[in-house]
Amino acid sequence: MIEYVDIIYGLAWGDEGKGKIANAMANKYDFVCRWNGGPNAGHTVYVNGQKHKTHIIPSGIFAGKKCVIGPGCVINIDKFFEEIQGLRTAGFDTSLIKISPNAHIITEAHINYDKQHLGHLGTTSQGIAPCYSDKMLRRGRRAIEMMDREWIWDGELSGTVLCEGAQSVWLDIDHGDYPYVTSSSTLPYAACSLGFSPKKIRNIIGVAKAYDTKSGVDPLFPTTLWNDPVLNSIIELGGEYGSTTGRKRLVNWLNLDKLKKSILLSGCTKLIINKCDVLEKIGVFKLIHGNEILHFVSFKEMKEYVMRALLLSSGSDLHDIVWSGDVEKI
Ligand code: IMP
Ligand code: MG
């Protein structure tokens, strides 16, 4: 029986540092699960000072937890085994990792189609959209047909469960900045596709950053943003380069209008704002609200403004904001 499910997901355009938070929380749960996406995601986590990168494997693996990759995910088998190999070499118990029989498999043809036809959307070229299209056309190949039994999940979730999202609200296929989106459901409700009742959900933990970034193309992030020296210094200090593609991300000031919307839309109960230290080091404090750029004299002033704007927002379930560095409070 499931006791409760907590969900961690991104409120912006990805790359909010969800991996770091999920990793810090993982040891409190029996299961850590992924419900969407595939090798387009990149989670960077530090364990005992060592840097590890995963793309499809849930970060619960670093805490020795049972890890389930759900039916809404897409798998590149070669890349999956590369990740398994890396984790084994680093001494992690990869027998804890299971894949839903209904997860779909990415083929060479999917990757080639993505590279040849979807470049203008700034995809990660991992074959994500073609794989999900074949799933919808009901002609895709599933894990049950393509992978050894030892990797296939045939159990049931039980006890306490952490679900970790990949990509984020504004990359969601239904609610994101279409067509500059990914092809899966990134909102927390979609975690139920793992096979549990929505009534089991306890905390809905959204992660944002103290500034916004976008990997790939989006008209909200014109490339002229790269001409701004302060935003450029955020890229360098914040290490804003894609963990899957290595591409330089576009950076803009935190858009509070979008953040308010994504909190409301997704039912966020706790908000974690990462990378506050980057803004503090840069010493320039701005955000976008009401389509205007607001300028604050200190980070403290900006924080107070954000808290007022978000916590007093009517209709929102948000009751807690954690500024990064305070992960033990979660
Ligand atoms: P796709 O998921 O490879 O089709 O890429 C579609 C869009 O989502 C592109 O703008 C990508 O840059 C973006 N995207 C996909 N996965 C991630 C991610 O994990 N973090 C940030 N952006 C992503
Ligand atoms: Mg990432």
Side-chain angles (χ1 to χ4, degrees):
M1 223 203 34
I2 294 181
E3 205 176 314
Y4 59 79
V5 177
D6 287 344
I7 300 174
I8 179 147
Y9 68 107
L11 285 162
W13 291 266
D15 313 313
E16 301 92 347
K18 302 181 278 294
K20 175 182 131 186
I21 308 292
N23 188 52
M25 293 172 61
N27 58 17
K28 298 190 211 156
Y29 300 86
D30 297 312
F31 283 88
V32 181
C33 307
R34 270 277 296 273
W35 78 82
N36 77 303
N40 49 348
H43 284 179
T44 308
V45 301
Y46 286 83
V47 184
N48 303 325
Q50 282 282 106
K51 184 176 178 173
H52 298 276
K53 256 190 196 177
T54 58
H55 297 283
I56 185 65
I57 293 172
S59 55
I61 196 62
F62 301 111
K65 300 297 173 166
K66 287 176 262 188
C67 293
V68 176
I69 300 168
C73 294
V74 290
I75 316 287
N76 176 319
I77 295 179
D78 291 344
K79 295 213 158 167
F80 172 77
F81 285 115
E82 262 171 46
E83 253 177 79
I84 292 286
Q85 203 46 54
L87 289 165
R88 272 192 189 148
T89 307
F92 296 105
D93 178 4
T94 54
S95 72
L96 294 163
I97 300 164
K98 299 290 174 204
I99 301 175
S100 159
N102 290 348
H104 275 249
I105 302 296
I106 299 171
T107 64
E108 271 312 299
H110 293 149
I111 296 169
N112 289 337
Y113 186 95
D114 196 348
K115 285 185 181 157
Q116 283 165 22
H117 301 288
L118 303 179
H120 62 291
L121 297 175
T123 70
T124 62
S125 304
Q126 298 294 317
I128 302 298
C131 182
Y132 280 111
S133 332
D134 276 348
K135 171 181 173 172
M136 293 306 170
L137 284 166
R138 284 160 271 162
R139 63 181 190 190
R141 289 269 171 270
R142 290 175 301 153
I144 184 78
E145 303 164 57
M146 305 289 282
M147 300 190 75
D148 276 349
R149 286 282 154 173
E150 65 167 306
W151 298 104
I152 301 295
W153 170 241
D154 65 356
E156 262 179 50
L157 297 176
S158 60
T160 59
V161 179
L162 178 66
C163 296
E164 55 175 331
Q167 295 83 45
S168 298
V169 166
W170 301 123
L171 295 175
D172 180 83
I173 186 70
D174 295 307
H175 297 280
D177 305 331
Y178 191 94
Y180 306 99
V181 294
T182 191
S183 302
S184 64
S185 296
T186 64
L187 268 70
Y189 73 83
C192 294
S193 65
L194 279 154
F196 57 81
S197 156
K199 284 190 167 175
K200 294 289 180 192
I201 298 171
R202 186 183 67 160
N203 295 324
I204 303 180
I205 306 162
V207 186
K209 261 192 310 211
Y211 49 88
D212 283 334
T213 62
K214 166 74 198 181
S215 306
V217 179
D218 190 313
L220 272 177
F221 293 80
T223 52
T224 48
L225 289 167
W226 279 325
N227 302 336
D228 181 318
V230 182
L231 294 176
N232 259 317
S233 54
I234 294 179
I235 297 179
E236 296 312 320
L237 200 65
E240 296 299 346
Y241 290 86
S243 62
T244 298
T245 57
R247 292 179 297 187
K248 182 159 95 167
R249 295 173 184 149
L250 285 148
V251 173
N252 204 352
W253 302 107
L254 175 69
N255 189 322
L256 205 53
D257 301 307
K258 291 288 271 189
L259 184 58
K260 269 171 96 163
K261 269 190 208 159
S262 64
I263 287 171
L264 267 176
L265 178 67
S266 60
C268 181
T269 60
K270 287 190 183 199
L271 166 64
I272 297 170
I273 303 186
N274 266 333
K275 293 212 167 169
C276 299
D277 50 342
V278 174
L279 273 201
E280 282 180 298
K281 280 192 191 132
I282 300 283
V284 180
F285 311 103
K286 294 188 191 179
L287 55 75
I288 299 166
H289 196 197
N291 290 318
E292 273 179 58
I293 297 183
L294 308 183
H295 199 150
F296 301 89
V297 296
S298 66
F299 193 54
K300 184 169 172 282
E301 197 187 88
M302 176 167 147
K303 259 171 145 171
E304 283 165 4
Y305 185 89
V306 170
M307 308 251 263
R308 268 199 309 278
L310 296 181
L311 291 169
L312 299 181
S313 173
S314 71
S316 152
D317 295 315
L318 184 70
H319 57 71
D320 196 9
I321 302 180
V322 178
W323 302 85
S324 82
D326 290 339
V327 272
E328 70 280 359
K329 281 196 203 154
I330 298 155

